[in-house]
Amino acid sequence: MSIMTNGVEQTLSASLVANDCSKLENDIPETAHMSTSDPNSDDTGSCLSESSFYHEDVFEALRPKIAELCASIGFPPPTSLQRMEGGRYNRIVSIEFDTLEHPPCVLRIPRRPFSMWVPETDVGDPLAIIQLLARNLPVPVVFAFDRSTDNPIGSPYLIQKKLPGIGLHLVYDKLTHSEAMDLIPQIAGVMAKLEAVHFVKNGQLVAPSTMSVRSSKPLLCDVAVGPFSAGRTSSGQHTSLQSMLYSLFDAWIVEETNTKRDFNIDMWKDLRTATDKMSHWELLDGAWPNVLWHWDLKPHNILVEKRGEKWEISGVLDWDELISVPLVLARTPPMWLWLLNDWEPERWDRNFDEFPDTDLDSEEQERKDCFDECIEMHCPGWTGDAYGTGWWVRRLARFGLHKTGFRSAEVKCRLKRFLKEWEVYENKLKAEQLERGAKTVKGAYLNCTGAPHY
């Protein structure tokens, strides 16, 4: 499924038959301290509720509005409305009807940006992406959508088919080794299908200007590639990795200046310098196409269902904020597949390209080898990009792609660690250069091991 486009606004045409389902995980910021004892209950409890945290209607006040919405788009009266556990991007409600013509579905209502520095999103963006992927991946169909607030619930929304299965994060660490080994080739297959979608330029994947405001029927539309954003500053669009990085870091410098955060500017300049150095060692010179990257393809966004004796993927979720990036950036190893003894979802599920500092045991190594073999079969050269010097490139790029820049202490600590480790690695390159007695060893290092223990 490789599609190339031309022009300033690149598009990918497909018939709208699907869109993404609810996020079953709770990815609300850690400072929120939500009550999650019953994900289907009303917004009550001793802790701060989702409604209070996001300044939304409490669920009981939302019920009659949903019923009115269903009537306004020609749906029958709902027989069941249940609040599902949402996340920072969407509020989720399960809807059931008493007719065969209307199967169970979910209502996704976008939340306000979790940070004042992040621009609001358009429900048309994930809608356009899902229609592109519907023929090749298990994604839920879209029954209706509205990109405006001119409707009974006073908010944009998507209504989608409710997919079967449960979140992989709820069962993966309980699977037998054999069951996990059955799932690994399926994960590799999903990743291969995603990186097979190509774009001319890198940037944010968005709805095209021609998309309608609302519909309760399937429609035809495209996927457009817009510029990346550094906070609320646009970074422009590019075709190469190097130009993309310089543009992102420069945009962040402008953003920090505009928001009176000059104290962060030196950090962006440090990253620009690191880009210069990686360019010198030819780490940025690969002939990588720009591909679709689901940057949050983790257990909480994968649904699985046991069919007979085998667990199978029944859905892939969370199509918000997807981007087109040079191929090397999308080849992040899914370490959660094989990190068993140190199973820490809070750390490894986020996967910032920071590898564990311990060796793998026999089962972990077998799972990793299985994945590497499967993905390499689908995508030749994948393991070289993932575990070689692409590791450094991804660590560098992630700072520019991070939605809130250096507005968190965690990211600043990560930068400090990255710069220190890069300096050590570059000194090794220089030492090798002197040992060989050559003016340069640039090309010789494109296939060297970049990541420790891998």
Side-chain angles (χ1 to χ4, degrees), residues 323-377:
I323 55 181
S324 164
V325 295
L327 183 61
V328 68
L329 300 187
R331 289 181 162 177
T332 300
M335 294 185 291
W336 52 268
L337 276 174
W338 54 80
L339 289 176
L340 308 179
N341 294 330
D342 295 318
W343 177 256
E344 301 175 33
E346 296 79 9
R347 175 173 172 80
W348 297 117
D349 199 43
R350 298 179 184 273
N351 193 341
F352 289 132
D353 287 301
E354 295 177 0
F355 290 82
D357 55 4
T358 58
D359 294 323
L360 304 180
D361 66 23
S362 59
E363 284 197 354
E364 290 174 327
Q365 190 65 53
E366 187 176 358
R367 294 190 191 192
K368 178 181 180 298
D369 290 344
C370 176
F371 172 80
D372 289 347
E373 180 179 350
C374 291
I375 196 67
E376 192 69 25
M377 180 179 63

Side-chain angles (χ1 to χ4, degrees), residues 6-251:
N6 295 293
V8 175
E9 182 185 65
Q10 306 102 47
T11 60
L12 294 168
S13 299
S15 297
L16 173 59
V17 293
N19 201 355
D20 107 300
C21 183
S22 74
K23 293 174 68 175
L24 300 180
E25 86 289 0
N26 177 20
D27 65 352
I28 296 168
E30 294 176 359
T31 55
H33 299 301
M34 302 292 174
S35 173
T36 58
S37 57
D38 182 359
N40 295 323
S41 68
D42 195 358
D43 291 317
T44 58
S46 59
C47 298
L48 180 64
S49 71
E50 287 190 16
S51 298
S52 300
F53 183 79
Y54 289 105
H55 308 288
E56 302 167 332
D57 287 339
V58 295
F59 189 64
E60 285 305 316
L62 185 62
R63 285 179 180 272
K65 296 181 181 180
I66 296 176
E68 185 181 351
L69 172 65
C70 289
S72 72
I73 59 177
F75 281 34
T79 57
S80 173
L81 295 175
Q82 291 188 319
R83 180 175 69 87
M84 298 179 69
E85 202 169 0
R88 69 173 65 181
Y89 290 109
N90 295 284
R91 189 176 192 179
I92 309 297
V93 178
S94 172
I95 308 177
E96 294 185 8
F97 306 96
D98 194 20
T99 66
L100 295 176
E101 293 78 14
H102 292 83
C105 59
V106 292
L107 170 66
R108 298 173 75 246
I109 305 173
R111 287 184 157 134
R112 297 176 181 177
F114 61 89
S115 168
M116 65 178 292
W117 310 109
V118 178
E120 293 187 12
T121 58
D122 179 358
V123 297
D125 298 349
L127 186 153
I129 295 166
I130 290 298
Q131 67 156 337
L132 171 65
L133 302 174
R135 294 182 181 179
N136 292 277
L137 289 171
V139 292
V141 297
V142 173
F143 298 136
F145 74 92
D146 193 336
R147 301 167 68 193
S148 76
T149 58
D150 186 17
N151 54 62
I153 63 173
S155 170
Y157 67 83
L158 293 172
I159 295 180
Q160 304 166 262
K161 181 179 179 180
K162 189 175 183 180
L163 290 176
I166 60 175
L168 180 57
H169 66 295
L170 299 175
V171 299
Y172 189 68
D173 61 337
K174 301 176 182 65
L175 299 182
T176 66
H177 182 59
S178 176
E179 289 173 331
M181 291 290 285
D182 286 338
L183 268 176
I184 289 173
Q186 299 178 53
I187 301 294
V190 168
M191 295 175 68
K193 289 178 180 179
L194 290 174
E195 75 166 47
V197 183
H198 291 194
F199 300 87
V200 171
K201 294 185 178 182
N202 48 63
Q204 195 77 40
L205 299 182
V206 297
S209 57
T210 55
M211 180 182 281
S212 59
V213 174
R214 64 182 61 85
S215 177
S216 57
K217 299 178 181 179
L219 78 161
L220 291 173
C221 72
D222 304 315
V223 176
V225 181
F228 287 117
S229 61
R232 294 181 178 271
T233 301
S234 172
S235 71
Q237 291 177 281
H238 303 275
T239 56
S240 72
L241 173 59
Q242 186 170 333
S243 60
M244 180 194 103
L245 293 173
Y246 283 131
S247 180
L248 272 170
F249 299 148
D250 288 345

